[in-house]
């Protein structure tokens, strides 16, 4: 007989190991473990997490307290739900919801080996998906610039223009901060794009993009003095920046990812190489050899020249009707652009005229 008293487990250890919930988790518990143990640890963006949350907590809300084993042993429940979502919510969101459920189930089964090995989502017939062709062509840009100039909110006008000129995702641009703009290096840093912090990158700024940012900073100081200290595209919202970028199609025909597709299309007409487009848009670089390219080494000269070519092509195409989008006179504060730019520059070694290429604006 061992005379030593058995070791007593602490309350924290007992709380940390909840065998019933791990061995046969409900959808709610499996989702929380996937969210906190996988997505947040991998640095997934808030937008990605919120998208997954919408799938689980809204579209599959009635399943939250159901054990995953119920779905695993009866995949017909999943196929029926997929068909229902396809009819009521749309084919694309139905597919997206099932991809989320598949990921949560696979993650849960790492700890719950009693769950059926076959993922129940494998039983569905996926809806056909086609890439949306919503880009503007060169001949369409003139009308789009006219629509843009007619928008009442000057901050939103500059937001849409910058998204067109940069070709980046709306969420990343909406959340851009003043501190992330480096006018000396002529870049805008995106610290948490899609994919999380490990995908952080810098957007090279053309002259047109710099003028756009200077204008919106001037407007922000006049309209949203407090919010403009932190955000590039400020608004009177809880977060302090523009939350929703969508417009009525009757007011602005293309916005958001439509402009991202437009950037890709116009870059092709401007003669920008395929690899350079991937780098400018922060896409994954195809091929093994291309993976050895150091993106930051190309920012200061090559990629900025390519960005300049795309911006020039866009503004040239829109020039017959609208030479360049400017906020209405009533929205402009009295602070000159050169003076504001000199304040934003961290040093005095680079004159504003050099940044603007000699322009007085």
């Amino acid at each position: 007989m061992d005379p030593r008293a058995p070791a007593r487990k602490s309350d924290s250890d007992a709380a940390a190991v909840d065998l019933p919930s791990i061995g046969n988790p409900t959808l709610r518990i499996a989702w929380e473990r996937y969210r906190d143990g996988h997505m947040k640890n991998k640095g997934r963006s808030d937008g990605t997490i919120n998208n997954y949350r919408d799938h689980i907590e809204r579209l599959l809300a009635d399943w939250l307290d159901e054990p995953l084993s119920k779905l695993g042993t009866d995949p017909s429940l999943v196929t029926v739900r997929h068909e229902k979502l396809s009819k009521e919510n749309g084919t694309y969101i139905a597919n997206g919801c099932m991809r989320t459920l598949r990921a949560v189930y696979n993650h849960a089964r790492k700890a719950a080996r009693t769950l059926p090995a076959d993922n129940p989502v494998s039983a569905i017939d996926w809806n056909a998906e086609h890439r949306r062709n919503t880009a503007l062509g060169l001949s369409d840009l003139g009308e789009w610039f006219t629509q843009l100039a007619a928008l009442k909110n000057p901050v939103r006008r500059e937001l849409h223009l910058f998204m067109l000129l940069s070709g980046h995702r709306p969420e990343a641009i909406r959340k851009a901060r003043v501190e992330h703009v480096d006018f000396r290096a002529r870049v805008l840093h995106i610290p948490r794009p899609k994919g999380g912090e490990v995908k952080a990158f810098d957007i090279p700024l053309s002259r047109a993009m710099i003028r756009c940012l200077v204008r919106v900073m001037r407007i922000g100081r006049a309209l949203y003095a407090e919010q403009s200290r932190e955000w590039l595209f400020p608004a009177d919202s809880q977060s302090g920046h523009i939350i929703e970028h969508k417009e009525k199609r009757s007011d602005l025909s293309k916005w958001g990812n439509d402009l991202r597709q437009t950037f890709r299309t116009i870059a092709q007409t401007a003669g920008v190489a395929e690899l350079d487009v991937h780098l400018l848009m922060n896409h994954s670089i195809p091929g093994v050899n291309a993976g050895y390219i150091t993106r930051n080494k190309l920012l200061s000269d090559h990629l900025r020249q390519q960005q300049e070519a795309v911006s020039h092509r866009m503004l040239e195409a829109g020039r017959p009707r609208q030479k360049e989008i400017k906020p209405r006179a009533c929205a402009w504060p009295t602070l000159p652009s050169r003076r504001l730019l000199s304040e934003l520059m961290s040093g005095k070694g680079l004159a504003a005229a050099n940044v603007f290429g000699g322009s007085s604006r």
Side-chain angles (χ1 to χ4, degrees):
M1 186 177 70
D2 191 342
R4 296 174 298 179
R8 181 181 177 183
K9 291 185 177 180
S10 64
D11 294 337
S12 60
D13 292 338
V17 181
D18 187 357
L19 294 180
S21 64
I22 296 177
N24 186 22
T26 62
L27 177 59
R28 186 191 305 276
I29 293 175
W31 156 240
E32 291 173 353
R33 288 174 57 80
Y34 180 74
R35 179 195 63 201
D36 299 334
H38 177 76
M39 300 189 77
K40 291 184 179 180
N41 285 344
K42 294 291 186 181
R44 299 294 185 256
S45 67
D46 293 338
T48 300
I49 295 176
N50 289 335
N51 188 40
Y52 278 50
R53 177 183 291 111
D54 179 69
H55 292 160
I56 298 296
E57 298 182 9
R58 183 176 68 90
L59 299 178
L60 303 179
D62 56 320
W63 284 357
L64 284 173
D65 296 319
E66 297 286 349
L68 283 184
S69 58
K70 180 178 179 179
L71 303 179
T73 56
D74 190 2
S76 64
L77 296 173
V78 178
T79 60
V80 171
R81 177 56 60 90
H82 179 253
E83 293 171 0
K84 180 181 178 182
L85 291 174
S86 299
K87 293 178 181 178
E88 297 179 359
N89 300 87
T91 57
Y92 287 86
I93 196 171
N95 282 358
C97 180
M98 292 299 108
R99 292 190 188 99
T100 299
L101 178 60
R102 179 177 61 188
V104 171
Y105 187 95
N106 286 337
H107 182 266
R109 196 178 177 279
K110 293 178 180 179
R113 291 298 184 178
T114 58
L115 288 175
D118 291 336
N119 194 306
V121 177
S122 62
I124 72 172
D125 291 323
W126 296 95
N127 297 315
E129 295 186 17
H130 306 283
R131 185 179 294 276
R132 295 178 175 90
N133 297 316
T134 59
L136 293 164
L138 289 174
S139 60
D140 304 318
L141 283 175
E143 178 62 26
W144 185 86
F145 273 104
T146 301
Q147 294 173 352
L148 183 65
L151 293 181
K152 295 180 180 180
N153 189 317
V155 177
R156 297 184 70 85
R157 288 202 299 269
E158 300 297 347
L159 172 70
H160 293 303
L161 176 60
F162 192 83
M163 284 196 289
L164 172 70
L165 295 174
S166 67
H168 283 280
R169 294 180 174 88
E171 183 181 9
I173 304 303
R174 291 198 316 263
K175 295 181 178 180
R177 296 174 181 265
V178 173
E179 63 182 291
H180 293 150
V181 182
D182 187 343
F183 282 105
R184 291 185 61 81
R186 292 177 61 180
V187 296
L188 172 62
H189 182 62
I190 305 297
R192 285 180 59 86
K194 182 179 180 180
E197 295 180 0
V198 295
K199 297 289 187 179
F201 68 101
D202 292 332
I203 301 176
L205 301 176
S206 65
R207 292 183 177 87
M209 294 165 72
I210 290 176
R211 290 195 294 268
C212 180
L213 292 181
V214 171
R215 285 196 302 264
V216 81
M217 286 180 174
R218 296 175 63 189
I219 296 167
R221 288 188 178 186
L223 300 181
Y224 310 102
E226 186 67 26
Q227 297 90 332
S228 64
R229 296 177 181 177
E230 182 177 2
W231 304 103
L232 275 178
F233 299 97
D236 188 14
S237 63
Q238 184 176 2
S239 63
H241 61 79
I242 290 179
I243 298 295
E244 183 55 74
H245 64 277
K246 297 179 181 178
E247 305 284 353
K248 293 181 179 179
R249 294 291 183 181
S250 57
D251 295 336
L252 191 66
S253 59
K254 303 293 183 180
W255 33 259
N257 285 323
D258 300 335
L259 303 181
R260 187 165 167 80
Q261 289 193 15
T262 299
F263 181 92
R264 179 65 187 85
T265 303
I266 303 302
Q268 188 69 31
T269 68
V272 178
E274 183 77 16
L275 178 58
D276 292 336
V277 175
H278 280 280
L279 293 171
L280 288 172
M281 300 182 72
N282 199 38
H283 282 158
S284 299
I285 302 176
V288 176
N289 293 330
Y292 289 96
I293 294 176
T294 303
R295 187 178 187 276
N296 289 338
K297 298 300 182 181
L298 300 175
L299 271 177
S300 60
D301 43 33
H302 179 72
L303 287 182
R304 185 169 294 110
Q305 292 174 9
Q306 301 294 65
Q307 189 82 282
E308 198 72 54
V310 177
S311 294
H312 178 75
R313 191 77 167 129
M314 289 176 174
L315 295 180
E316 280 292 320
R319 184 156 290 152
R321 296 188 180 184
Q322 188 72 23
K323 289 189 176 181
E324 185 176 347
I325 299 303
K326 296 180 180 179
R328 297 174 183 178
C330 61
W332 283 65
T334 57
L335 188 65
S337 295
R338 285 177 179 270
R339 177 181 158 193
L340 175 61
L341 188 59
S342 63
E343 291 180 6
L344 298 171
M345 302 275 282
S346 58
K348 298 182 180 179
L350 180 62
N354 291 335
V355 176
F356 286 110
S359 174
S360 62
R361 290 175 291 181

